[in-house]
Amino acid sequence: MGTPSQGSAAVATAGVDLCALDLVPVFAKEMIAGGVAGAFSKTAIAPLERLKILLQTRTNEFSSLGVLKSLKKLRRHDGVLGFYKGNGASVLRIVPYAALHYMAYERYRCWILNNCPSLGTGPLVDLLAGSASGGTAVLCTYPLDLARTKLAYQVNSSDKLRSGLNRSTQPKYGGIRDVFRGVYSEGGVRALYRGVGPTLMGILPYAGLKFYIYEGLKAHVPDDYKNSVTLKLSCGAAAGLFGQTLTYPLDVVRRQMQVQSQQYHDQFDGPRIKGTFQGLRIIKRTQGWRQLFAGLSLNYIKVVPSVAIGFTAYDTMKNLLKIPPREKKR
């Protein structure tokens, strides 16, 4: 049986732990919650994410196979671990990206509410805050996204997949650091941000619409069901699917710009892609307009669990970290 002094020590320890959590700034808690949510959601859909990149960039090798056959082909050439090639760079990117994205969204939202009362407190605030936070997160983490794409683009094969597209040699990267070193030697810091134009053009409306639709749908949920995980997942999935459909062609342009090499001719027959609108025209002319939506059906399969896990994990972490609830819209 413990002595009174031991009991007092236990209470004091619990009090210290509680105070330690309370001393963590709210923005830091939001970053932790966002980072954990991003890591969970990205790892869960890593095989589909890699296949989507291959569908967008290795057109003739995978586009005619379909999802299941493409996954089998990928497993045959790279093994099970091949499904997660590039996922290290993806998680390394998504943790700071999601942390900045969610935290910046909350901060931008508070700033808009305090400094732009004419905008009200409705979904328009979520649209603006979501767009601004998406752009902020992209600019801070884009080189990691480029490294993830280049690693995922590589496919091991003894017969080079028997594709004529491999007549043009691409550099072989061994890891994230190797990608940074190689890309930087090609064109300096500017090369590390190749494709950032279409990325920003895609993420600004996508991130804004995602929060706009998600928060707008949640606002119509009765108070008794506010904590329903199913409803949260449904709202998030609807927001993600709608936003992805509208901005997907820009994502295709971004991926193709990322896998281009400064020192080697790219696999595509058309001229080199140097800008967003030029890229849209080139892909439509040389690969057909359908290529602008290559992998979109797979993206639908991917977005639902990704958004679902992301929003659920974020809300769960907010509760665990005792982040104060956002004020209700008036």
Side-chain angles (χ1 to χ4, degrees):
M1 200 165 181
T3 63
S5 60
Q6 289 175 327
S8 300
V11 172
T13 302
V16 170
D17 292 339
L18 181 59
C19 291
L21 184 60
D22 291 340
L23 289 174
V24 178
V26 173
F27 79 88
K29 293 180 181 180
E30 292 167 349
M31 292 186 72
I32 294 171
V36 171
F40 269 102
S41 62
K42 186 60 69 174
T43 302
I45 51 90
L48 296 175
E49 177 68 21
R50 188 181 180 210
L51 182 56
K52 187 196 77 170
I53 291 175
L54 293 174
L55 286 170
Q56 290 177 329
T57 56
R58 291 185 177 271
T59 313
N60 292 353
E61 299 170 35
F62 288 91
S63 61
S64 62
L65 297 179
V67 175
L68 292 179
K69 289 184 178 179
S70 293
L71 288 172
K72 289 179 180 178
K73 182 175 183 176
L74 190 57
R75 184 177 183 277
R76 185 168 66 251
H77 289 287
D78 283 356
V80 175
L81 292 179
F83 291 139
Y84 294 89
K85 181 179 286 186
N87 188 55
S90 183
V91 171
L92 188 61
R93 177 194 75 91
I94 202 64
V95 168
Y97 173 85
L100 284 169
H101 191 24
Y102 282 105
M103 183 275 292
Y105 163 73
E106 302 285 0
R107 298 303 99 199
Y108 282 132
R109 187 178 181 280
C110 287
W111 186 90
I112 293 172
L113 290 174
N114 292 331
N115 294 276
C116 305
S118 59
L119 294 176
T121 59
L124 178 60
V125 174
D126 298 308
L127 178 67
L128 296 175
S131 296
S133 63
T136 300
V138 162
L139 290 174
C140 292
T141 62
Y142 187 80
L144 290 170
D145 183 56
L146 182 133
R148 182 273 300 261
T149 300
K150 284 186 173 292
L151 289 171
Y153 173 75
Q154 297 176 159
V155 178
N156 297 327
S157 175
S158 57
D159 62 357
K160 303 288 186 181
L161 291 177
R162 292 192 172 95
S163 171
L165 294 175
N166 287 283
R167 64 182 180 275
S168 56
T169 308
Q170 284 280 340
K172 190 72 174 178
Y173 300 111
I176 300 173
R177 185 179 301 178
D178 197 21
V179 173
F180 286 159
R181 188 183 298 114
V183 174
Y184 184 81
S185 66
E186 291 175 6
V189 175
R190 186 173 182 177
L192 292 172
Y193 281 86
R194 186 181 300 141
V196 73
T199 302
L200 285 174
M201 290 188 65
I203 198 63
L204 292 178
Y206 171 66
L209 285 170
K210 183 174 69 173
F211 282 104
Y212 176 87
I213 297 171
Y214 180 68
E215 296 296 338
L217 290 175
K218 280 207 311 180
H220 291 85
V221 175
D223 290 338
D224 293 341
Y225 297 95
K226 289 290 186 183
N227 294 324
S228 170
V229 174
T230 302
L231 281 175
K232 287 181 181 178
L233 300 186
S234 300
C235 294
L241 290 174
F242 184 74
Q244 280 286 311
T245 303
L246 293 180
T247 61
Y248 193 79
L250 297 173
D251 189 49
V252 174
V253 174
R254 168 173 66 117
R255 296 299 183 194
Q256 294 201 11
M257 287 183 73
Q258 287 177 333
V259 299
Q260 288 180 144
S261 172
Q262 195 81 357
Q263 298 173 347
Y264 303 91
H265 292 294
D266 191 65
Q267 63 170 338
F268 306 115
D269 294 329
R272 184 178 180 79
I273 298 175
K274 296 181 180 179
T276 305
F277 295 108
Q278 179 224 22
L280 290 170
R281 290 194 299 269
I282 288 175
I283 293 173
K284 181 178 181 293
R285 186 175 70 249
T286 61
Q287 302 169 48
W289 67 269
R290 290 179 180 273
Q291 180 60 24
L292 292 173
F293 295 92
L296 180 58
S297 59
L298 177 65
N299 215 45
Y300 286 150
I301 301 173
K302 177 179 75 73
V303 162
V304 173
S306 176
V307 174
I309 294 170
F311 275 116
T312 302
Y314 181 63
D315 286 339
T316 301
M317 288 300 299
K318 284 176 69 175
N319 291 331
L320 290 175
L321 295 173
K322 296 181 174 59
I323 297 176
R326 196 184 302 149
E327 74 225 27
K328 291 186 178 181
K329 295 181 178 69
R330 290 190 292 269

